[in-house]
């Protein structure tokens, strides 16, 4: 054997001997480690011990043990907390009746499925290699549950087997889809003559709607927070709405800070401009006494008196003025009742909305659209919310 080959063979033998010696040393250390661990926490399996030991000895020594067949290599995988969707998949979708859907989602299952079909162009998602996308039905159900209850994002997520961030994303995606796809179809005047006849039957002629504003509580904004403190002392955003004789919204304006007066909001709205230009209602007048009266709307004393906006008399009143106020108030109550039913259905509007200033108007608008959908299907808010 040549000198170079002999040298190479000696080095190889020495390296092999060194590896074996190190392995034997590690085995002795492993035995002592196993005994110590048993004393500390009771009996553990050899597999557990070998795993702990390989982690404590570092990657190089662990590789030697893998090569010697003492431990097995484990395939690297992504780990995530497993959650259960059995409640939604097997209980709600398959077993719940309409009364349960009404109590929890504020609409019957048939209405819910119709809503999902309308929103599917904006909500349908593709599966990825990392995870399956939420179905349209589940996204809408998560959003409705969150809007209908004062539950936290974490609580709703646990209910549906998703994370709390997924709940927040679902609420906003559904709200944007409702605003983009449905508001022009659902929040609209419709047949004006039907509305006029409805108010006439209640006691006020040639009336096309009742207007008012309501405050939606919010968390203190980061900027100009004082502007959002209303006259009752809490932070809010104003929802101004015009409703028909059945309490369905025909025009909504959302986003003004709670400190702003109702009259200012009205004068800066698109509704005011349409009424001023005479483009909201058809040119249909009646004669009251010797005065021609166009189709008008009804408001409380905070609103300005115009030929197309009637409000109650104030001060000392005679019998005819009292009768006028009675009939006007009777018809104007429909807007206050509408706000009451809106908040009874979507109870998140009763608590402080924990959303950004830019997202709050979208969510409130979506609730108004959903209110109209439920109202059109009939039903009792308290005994079983319409839908």
């Amino acid at each position: 054997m040549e000198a170079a080959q002999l040298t190479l063979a000696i080095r190889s033998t020495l390296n092999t001997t060194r590896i074996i010696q190190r392995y034997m040393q590690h085995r002795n250390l492993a035995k002592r480690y196993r005994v110590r661990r048993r004393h500390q926490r009771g009996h553990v399996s050899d597999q557990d011990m070998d795993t702990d030991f390989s982690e404590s000895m570092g990657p190089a020594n662990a590789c030697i043990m893998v090569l010697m067949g003492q431990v097995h290599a484990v395939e690297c995988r992504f780990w995530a907390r497993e959650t259960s969707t059995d409640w939604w998949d097997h209980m709600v979708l398959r077993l719940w009746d309409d009364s349960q859907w009404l109590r929890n989602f504020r609409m019957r299952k048939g209405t819910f499925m119709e809503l999902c079909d309308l929103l599917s162009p904006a909500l349908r998602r593709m599966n990825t290699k990392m995870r399956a996308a939420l179905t349209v039905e589940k996204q809408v159900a998560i959003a409705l549950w969150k809007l209908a209850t004062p539950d936290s994002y974490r609580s709703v997520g646990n209910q549906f087997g998703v994370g709390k961030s997924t709940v927040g994303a679902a609420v906003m995606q559904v709200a944007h889809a409702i605003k983009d796809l449905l508001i022009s179809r659902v929040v609209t005047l419709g047949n004006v003559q039907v509305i006029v006849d409805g108010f006439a039957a209640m006691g006020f002629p040639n009336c096309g709607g009742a207007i008012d504003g309501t405050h939606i509580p919010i968390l203190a904004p980061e900027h100009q927070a004082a502007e959002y403190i209303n006259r009752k002392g809490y932070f809010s955003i104003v929802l101004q709405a015009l409703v028909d004789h059945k309490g369905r919204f025909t025009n909504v304006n959302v986003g003004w800070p709670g400190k702003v007066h109702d009259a200012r909001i009205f004068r800066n709205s698109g509704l005011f401009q349409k009424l001023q230009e005479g483009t909201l209602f058809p040119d249909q007048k009646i004669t009251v006494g010797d005065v021609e009266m166009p189709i008008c709307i009804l408001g409380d004393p905070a609103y300005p008196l115009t030929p197309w906006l009637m409000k109650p008399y104030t001060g000392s009143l005679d019998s005819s003025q009292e009768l006028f106020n009675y009939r006007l108030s009777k018809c104007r109550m429909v807007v206050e009742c509408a706000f009451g039913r809106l908040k009874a259905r979507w109870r998140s509007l009763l608590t402080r909305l924990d959303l950004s200033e830019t997202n709050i108007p979208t969510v409130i608008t979506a609730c108004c659209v959903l209110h109209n959908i439920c109202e059109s299907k009939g039903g009792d808010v308290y005994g079983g919310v319409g839908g």
Side-chain angles (χ1 to χ4, degrees), residues 296-316:
C296 65
I297 64 174
L298 308 179
D300 63 19
Y303 290 93
L305 179 65
T306 70
W308 38 260
L309 193 155
M310 298 290 104
K311 67 179 189 176
Y313 287 100
T314 57
S316 179

Side-chain angles (χ1 to χ4, degrees), residues 144-205:
L144 294 183
W145 190 284
K146 183 65 180 75
L147 295 175
T149 66
D151 294 354
S152 66
Y153 288 95
R154 187 184 302 277
S155 175
V156 178
N158 292 337
Q159 193 83 359
F160 287 88
V162 298
K164 63 179 184 178
S165 60
T166 303
V167 175
V171 170
M172 290 314 307
Q173 288 167 3
V174 171
H176 280 294
I178 290 173
K179 184 178 180 181
D180 295 340
L181 299 178
L182 300 184
I183 188 169
S184 60
R185 298 171 56 179
V186 177
V187 181
T188 180
L189 272 175
N191 191 326
V192 176
Q193 188 58 50
V194 173
I195 299 174
V196 170
D197 292 342
F199 279 110
M202 297 170 65
F204 206 98

